[in-house]
Amino acid sequence: MIDKNLVIIGGGPAGLAAAKSAYDSGERDIVILERESVLGGILNQCIHNGFGLHTFKEELTGPEYAARYVEQVEERKIEYKLETTVLGVNADKVVTAVNETDGLVKYRAKAVILACGCRERPRGGINVAGSRCAGIFSAGTAQKLINIDGYMPGKEIVILGSGDIGLIMARRMTFEGAKVKAVVELMPYSSGLNRNIVQCIKDFDIPLLFSHTVVDIRGEGRVSGVVIAAVDDKLQPIMSTAQEITCDTILLSIGLLPENELAKSATVKLSPITGGATVDENMMTSVDGIFECGNVLHVHDLVDFVSKESEEAGRSAARYIKENRADRDYVEAVGCEGVRYVVPQYVSKNTQSEQIQLKMRVSNVFKNVRLVGLIDGKEIFSKKKQIVTPGEMETVTLNKAQIDEIRKGKRLEVTLKGE
Amino acid sequence: MKDIIVIGGGIVGCSVARELSRYNARITVLEKFNDVSCGTTKANSGIVHAGFDAKPDTLKAKFNILGNAMFDDLAKELDFPFVRNGALVLCFDKEDFPRLGELYNRGLDNGVEGLKVLTKEEVFEMEPYVSKEVVGALYAKTSGIVSPYEMAIAYAENAAVNGCEFNFGKRVVSICESDGRWTVECQSGEKYSADMVVNCAGVYADDINNRVCDKKINIVPRKGEYMLYDKSCGYLATRTIFQMPSKMGKGILVSPTTHGNIITGPTANDVDDKDNLYTTYEGLSEVYEKSLKSVPSLNKRFVITQFSGIRAHSVDGDFIIGESDKKGFYNVAGIESPGLTSAPAIAVHVAEDIAGKLNLERKRDFNPVRKGIPHFAIMADSDRAKLIEQNHLYGKVICRCEVVTEGEIVDSINRPVGARDVDGVKRRTRAGMGRCQSGFCLEKVMEILARELGVDFETVVKHEKGNIVIGKAKK
């Protein structure tokens, strides 16, 4: 058993930012546990640009963005272990990890930050019928094969789902000489960022079919085609509209799921909506001293927001280690009428934060609306939006005065109101 | 020494080969796929049936009861996953009670022990998540669950250790007899000769039989589609939950698997194409809707994969076991449900029968024990630590969802009848069988396969020759 003040699980953008900020808040006894052979997480395979506009005020690629944080971790000489898989965390903050050189190691931590990211929803999750042949990949797997390993997963591609990775991969496959025949989206809108629809789909004249789904996958041994059909307003396929598109590869970009198996093993309470933990403004979960940040908490669309959230988690963990105190006298923050969720779900009545960023997603596309915050019915903020979509996370930053209003209340509701 | 050829490497072929390997004979298994357990054996419910459903005085009833009783010892001896979890047949309508009674009586006739008719209160106490519409159920204590492909692999490994030869990629195209000696020719050109040919070709057993025998048989491919749920849903059923059976089969079941997932299915549709393993929109919808009747809180969002299997349904309705009208050509055909349950008993019977016909003697050095791959995921921490000390590759987790280490994957490739492709590794180790369905580990498994087999990464296949996973390197 190794005593360690802070164990950070995951060396991707969330874990790196949390480590850096915990260090800068005075904590020195930190270890980052990373299962891959390099730090940086999924950013390493995201070789496109567009990262860092908020954090560094410049446009970086994924590996460049990761490198900035890796550098800061290296400068601070924060300990990290690579190719190390965490097998379990319990509510007493004992972290069991394994690697080839140290074998099985147990850390007894004063605080744990879960920063283990998310995974892609597999084909099973949407019940697509048809052949179970080779040639069906998640978009992220294909991204790794092309960008890290240097292999082309196929030549004629149909992408199912319009999540950001799917959109990015449509462009990437096109660059590499593949023909992307269609991006097929069940909903009448994309779950990805608008800028990706423009830059990755429209600029390359790739057909983007909304309100369509795949009803059959064909192929003996390898994919030979997909049958797609339009869906009705109950999202059921209209079989008379079925048409086959020939292709040798299908990429799935049908949603990301926070990977919370470790949180469950530590008895952390999870939100059925985000799939991540429920946290307070310090990113502390329902278990004292266990924090969550990044895509394991809720799926973000910009890494910049992940970094910011994770820095908060790192700061809070460092403070918790010093003070060994969790304040559970909470005001609950909930999403209503068109707002699916709000993170953090709780604000402590005794919060010392001068600034709190609320993050939320809406349930549908709405135009000309206001994002309104009500504390026990009284409006404390209102943000005008020309358009809100489920694919773009909305944020509201609360100032000291607004936080003081919240501290006096019982329940914070965030809701959408028409103009 | 006598030569015996077993055609087909499913649960029937593997178990027959293993039981034959107790005798002094040269045994060769010819399998058209890359691996054992690639047909019906890899895609079925994995139920060890109690035996109340089989018609009395049939081979199905006889071998079901005999086979079921063998599982506890066999699972220990061959080290494959098996749990005697019990089963319920739910009754949703008081008017169906007489049929439940019929099943009960049939079970008694067949010699099934531990049957009991339960009130709905007793059902809810056992299985709190079954539908509140249930009015009663038949409980069968001796029903169990098994991992069918791991069972077949265990049989194959033990057969191989005892001298049986396995040849893959060998599709049989002709079988001829001359002077009491059989010649079996494969599509790939090789010829094998033997004193006895055992037809364990599953859905193709009729093709093989009908090339040789005057008495023709007819195997109808009957497709069954399944849905598999995430382990987080495992609490929804601890016993195998059936609905009242019909003439097409035992209906849609909801059951835990030996690894803690929930399986639902199968449909039962006779199809024309014996190789068509497509799932269908209608089939999956049927599985889902009917499974909700038993367990209403099943949520489609937690399905991690769907698949289908083809049952080898004999139009005669019973197993076809025995030497055919041609001396030296032996059929083990039409082994549909309860075929998996019956396989161990069928294999013993077939081996004894053949040994008698060929005058075979028992080997003195037969080794009945097979030790499986140590599964890191379900080990105590102290055992894990020891294992890593012995071999550091057990410290490297490759499949995060099922916690499968590189040590296990290397073992699965290098042991007897080892894995040759991605699906072979998956069936032996569970790498890629978890909730991300190989999204993270696919390419790592391929790298290990390429390294251990000494082949190019690009030539690694999913499960069949030519079934390349990745394709060419980027130009």
Side-chain angles (χ1 to χ4, degrees), chain B residues 324-342:
Chain B
S324 67
D325 53 27
K326 294 285 182 287
K327 190 165 181 290
F329 184 89
Y330 201 103
N331 276 318
V332 192
I335 313 296
E336 63 177 330
S337 181
L340 179 65
T341 314
S342 305

Side-chain angles (χ1 to χ4, degrees), chain B residues 255-276:
Chain B
S255 179
T257 69
T258 52
H259 296 285
N261 300 84
I262 292 282
I263 189 172
T264 61
T267 52
N269 293 303
D270 292 344
V271 292
D272 299 327
D273 181 354
K274 293 179 172 180
D275 296 318
N276 181 339

